[in-house]
């Protein structure tokens, strides 16, 4: 089943921000906005919920710290204790100050690498994925707002978008997919 989507193209990010606020005030659903660079405050203007990626970063850091502690305890204390510089390794707590750099590095390593993987999975950016950019000009100097026409009057919506400063408006029949 096809649904109607309206693409409104803008040439200025300030005009885009005002347009987003006006479209949201009229209770239309903005599907996506494509920009050539990050626009500060656009997520709040679109009404997007706050991200929980910081919580996952903390959890991944805790996993890295746990792996570091268990790894160093097993390697340096239980499996193969060594007398380094006349200082025997009797317990983990006695040697922990020497292990702090390793704990820090593995905490950062796990948080950073697992966050990249989480970001790609959450954004559905798979290797060899076909680009979903509807207009190539949005990678250079234009901004595109994709508004779901749904059951709304398309003519009224296009006139609203024209009044917000859109330089080009297209009505498109979009195939519904599960992405």
């Amino acid at each position: 089943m096809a649904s109607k989507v309206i693409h409104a193209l803008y040439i200025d990010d300030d005009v885009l921000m005002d347009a987003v606020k006006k479209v949201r005030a009229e209770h239309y659903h903005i599907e996506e906005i494509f920009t050539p660079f990050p626009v500060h405050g656009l997520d709040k203007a679109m009404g997007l919920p706050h991200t929980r990626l910081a919580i996952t970063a903390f959890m991944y850091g805790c996993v890295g710290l746990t792996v570091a502690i268990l790894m160093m305890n097993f390697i340096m204390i239980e499996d193969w204790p060594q007398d380094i510089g006349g200082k025997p390794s009797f317990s983990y707590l006695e040697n922990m100050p020497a292990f702090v750099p390793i704990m820090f590095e593995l905490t950062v390593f796990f948080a950073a690498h697992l966050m990249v993987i989480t970001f790609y999975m959450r954004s559905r950016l798979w290797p060899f994925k076909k680009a979903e950019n509807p207009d190539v000009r949005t990678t250079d100097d234009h901004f595109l707002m994709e508004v779901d026409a749904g059951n709304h009057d398309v003519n009224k919506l296009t006139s609203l978008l024209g009044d917000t400063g859109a330089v080009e408006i297209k009505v498109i029949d979009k195939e519904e997919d599960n992405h």
Side-chain angles (χ1 to χ4, degrees):
M1 178 173 173
S3 64
K4 292 208 182 281
V5 175
I6 298 177
H7 288 173
L9 205 63
Y10 297 88
I11 57 173
D12 186 21
D13 58 335
D14 292 329
V15 175
L16 173 72
M17 284 292 288
D18 292 336
V20 168
K21 291 173 186 173
K22 289 177 185 174
V23 169
R24 292 258 308 148
E26 294 292 326
H27 304 292
Y28 290 109
H29 177 66
I30 299 173
E31 288 286 329
E32 189 67 62
I33 295 181
F34 298 91
T35 63
F37 54 84
V39 178
H40 181 70
L42 188 59
D43 53 343
K44 288 182 183 177
M46 288 179 63
L48 297 177
H50 291 286
T51 180
R52 295 183 302 253
L53 286 177
I55 297 168
T56 59
F58 177 75
M59 291 190 307
Y60 293 153
C62 290
V63 168
L65 181 64
T66 304
V67 167
I69 291 170
L70 293 174
M71 178 189 73
M72 290 181 300
N73 185 48
F74 177 74
I75 292 172
M76 298 299 292
I77 307 301
E78 294 177 15
D79 185 40
W80 193 14
Q82 299 177 25
D83 186 0
I84 300 173
K87 299 176 184 175
S89 300
F90 292 125
S91 72
Y92 181 80
L93 290 177
E94 290 175 350
N95 294 309
M96 193 176 73
F99 296 154
V100 169
I102 299 168
M103 292 188 292
F104 172 76
E105 291 298 330
L106 279 179
T107 300
V108 172
F109 179 84
F110 270 67
H113 286 80
L114 292 175
M115 280 304 297
V116 168
I117 293 169
T118 301
F119 173 75
Y120 283 138
M121 289 174 56
R122 182 72 177 102
S123 301
R124 295 179 183 98
L125 293 174
W126 313 113
F128 310 109
K129 182 182 181 203
K130 184 181 176 212
E132 295 178 7
N133 193 354
D135 194 329
V136 72
R137 293 177 287 181
T138 60
T139 61
D140 188 22
D141 60 352
H142 284 70
F143 304 86
L144 187 133
M145 182 185 342
E146 185 176 273
V147 182
D148 182 24
N151 298 328
H152 303 289
D153 183 16
V154 175
N155 294 328
K156 181 181 173 187
L157 182 54
T158 55
S159 67
L160 171 68
L161 292 171
D163 292 341
T164 61
V167 294
E168 185 178 318
I169 300 172
K170 292 181 186 175
V171 179
I172 297 173
D173 287 327
K174 185 175 182 178
E175 294 291 325
E176 290 200 25
D177 54 353
N178 295 327
H179 71 280

